[in-house]
Structures are given as C-alpha cells and as structure tokens.
Amino acid sequence: MTCKDTRNLLNAYVDGELDSAGSLSVENHVQQCASCLSGMENLRALASLIENGALRFNASRHLKRNVQAAIRAANPGAGSPLFGWRWASALASVVVIVALTWGVTTQWRRSSEETLLFNNIVSSHVRSMMANHITDVSSSDSHTVKPWFGGKLDYSPPAKDLTGQGFRLIGGRLDYLDNRPVAALVYQRSQHFINLFVWPVRTTEITQDGQLSRQGYNIIHWTQSGMTYWLISDLNPAELSECARLLKE
Ligand SMILES: [Zn+2]
C-alpha cells in the first residue's frame, strides 16, 4: 500500500472503522513508514485530546464581565433579580441540549462500533473456514496451544480442553479484531467448528453479556476476569450455550 492510500485510510483506522483487512494493511504500512506512523500518532493524540475535553477552556473573568455588561446594556431588565433567573434558565437549557447531544452521539457511536465488531467477528469466523486456515497451531493439548501464543500477544489466553465434554480443542490461531491482534481458539463438535475469540477488555467496549445471531451464526459474548470472550459457530444455540457454560466454569 502506498503512503497516499494509507493517509486516506488513517482517519477511519484511528476511529476503528476499518475492517480487518484494511486495518492490517494500514498497520503493515506504518511499521515500515515513519512518516505515516507519525501521521497516525498525531491523529491519535488529537482524538484523545477531544475525548478528554482538554480543548475546553474557561472564560477569563475579563471576558465574562464584558459579556455580562453587553447583555445588561441590551436588556432593560438587567440587574433585577428576574434577570438572574432568566440567565440561569437559559444556561440550564444549554446544559440540557449539550447533555442530550453528547448522549445521543455517544450512543450512536457505541452502536455503530458494536455493529462493526459483530460483522468483523462473523467475517473472521467465515474466513477461517474458507481459507482452510482454521488453526496456526493444531493440537488438542492446552499445554501446547497456550504457550504457542506467548510472544505473539501481550496477554495469555486460556486454552481450555473440553474434549471430555464433547467440544474438542483442535488448536489456536492469531486473528485481528477490535483493532488489535487477538487469540482465536478453535473447538469442534461433530462437523461444526467453533471459534472462541479472546482479548483483554477495553474500558470503552461493550461489557454487557449476551447472545445473538448474525447471518446464520450464533454468537455468545461474555467478560470474565478482565477478558472479553466471543464464541461463534453455526452450531445450534443450545449446544453453543453449553460450550460457553463449560468455558466459563
Ligand atoms: Zn507511508
């Protein structure tokens, strides 16, 4: 990918709006290009400034006095107790409007992030089976699978073997979701494959546990001990729930 292509995608990348393939090509490029990397860091810094409200400033006493004097001059009721109330109620409306807008925007942003994540989880699952690349390490031994992730991730995913309970661990794979490399553990039940994606919880992410179905796949999500878990398969909801229950134990 060229610098020009990368620059075009940087904004969407920083906002977490790219799909897995797009994110991966941006990351590959910035690993070799200092100029695009610094462009990305600038965007990130700007985004966090806006998020933390660091760009907000308080009006100086001088400015406040000037504004109040201008209002008083333009308003015959200025100075009376009534004026104080009007001022306060106008301010209250502004506060309410700002709060509503912020709430709606946050809600909208969260729900679009959720939709994107659901879609990416389904694509990762489908791709893992289509590309004949379901595992990078093939083993039903959790003592082989778990250490394989060491050095590839900055956390250690659990690799629970559930062969005895009818869900055979067949291996693990490195995948890319939620703008980061994540662990995918693969289980098999008769001819059905199950992907379990695991990564550490971010503070802003969806923390509500739940179950949903997308494009014919069943998905179960939960968080436990600081990790977020996404279990996906074409297996029926009852058996997938059983698998989730065993994994949570
Ligand atoms: Zn570049």
Side-chain angles (χ1 to χ4, degrees):
M1 204 158 67
T2 66
C3 288
K4 191 162 169 270
D5 297 334
T6 306
R7 294 286 165 143
N8 286 338
L9 292 176
L10 270 188
N11 259 311
Y13 173 80
V14 169
D15 289 339
E17 286 160 358
L18 290 186
D19 63 5
S20 317
S23 299
L24 210 55
S25 39
V26 169
E27 297 218 329
N28 283 340
H29 181 85
V30 298
Q31 270 173 11
Q32 297 143 17
C33 173
S35 146
C36 289
L37 180 65
S38 92
M40 176 194 283
E41 278 163 359
N42 285 342
L43 275 177
R44 280 217 171 110
L46 182 64
S48 83
L49 270 179
I50 292 169
E51 229 155 66
N52 301 332
L55 294 180
R56 186 173 39 198
F57 62 94
N58 289 322
S60 69
R61 203 181 297 169
H62 178 70
L63 178 62
K64 275 182 196 157
R65 251 204 316 268
N66 280 353
V67 171
Q68 280 164 351
I71 294 171
R72 238 177 260 125
N75 189 329
S80 74
L82 190 64
F83 171 74
W85 282 111
R86 268 193 215 147
W87 180 245
S89 78
L91 196 66
S93 328
V94 171
V95 169
V96 168
I97 290 167
V98 168
L100 282 177
T101 314
W102 185 81
V104 168
T105 317
T106 311
Q107 193 59 44
W108 176 81
R109 199 188 156 100
R110 182 161 301 169
S111 70
S112 55
E113 274 178 10
E114 274 183 7
T115 310
L116 185 76
L117 182 60
F118 297 154
N119 292 344
N120 285 343
I121 284 169
V122 174
S123 335
S124 287
H125 177 73
V126 172
R127 207 169 34 236
S128 74
M129 287 179 298
M130 273 172 47
N132 207 3
H133 174 217
I134 191 138
T135 56
D136 287 330
V137 53
S138 304
S139 171
S140 60
D141 182 3
S142 56
H143 300 295
T144 305
V145 177
K146 199 176 157 71
W148 180 84
F149 287 105
K152 298 181 180 73
L153 293 170
D154 56 1
Y155 60 96
S156 174
K160 213 169 171 182
D161 181 23
L162 301 174
T163 306
Q165 289 95 325
F167 299 93
R168 193 163 63 91
L169 176 68
I170 62 169
R173 184 182 76 248
L174 214 52
D175 213 306
Y176 195 92
L177 283 168
D178 202 28
N179 291 320
R180 59 165 305 152
V182 303
L185 294 147
V186 190
Y187 293 88
Q188 192 175 3
R189 174 144 178 126
S190 54
Q191 73 276 43
H192 302 279
F193 289 101
I194 306 169
N195 265 297
L196 173 65
F197 299 106
V198 188
W199 67 92
V201 177
R202 281 188 300 143
T203 47
T204 54
E205 91 186 68
I206 320 148
T207 45
Q208 219 174 348
D209 296 3
Q211 187 155 0
L212 69 148
S213 78
R214 282 276 153 127
Q215 301 165 39
Y217 295 98
N218 293 304
I219 305 175
I220 300 179
H221 168 242
W222 72 95
T223 55
Q224 192 177 24
S225 314
M227 293 284 189
T228 184
Y229 294 82
W230 293 87
L231 192 64
I232 175 169
S233 177
D234 60 351
L235 193 63
N236 66 71
E239 283 176 88
L240 195 63
S241 297
E242 172 65 5
C243 182
R245 192 186 62 76
L246 293 164
L247 287 166
K248 284 182 210 173
E249 262 176 8

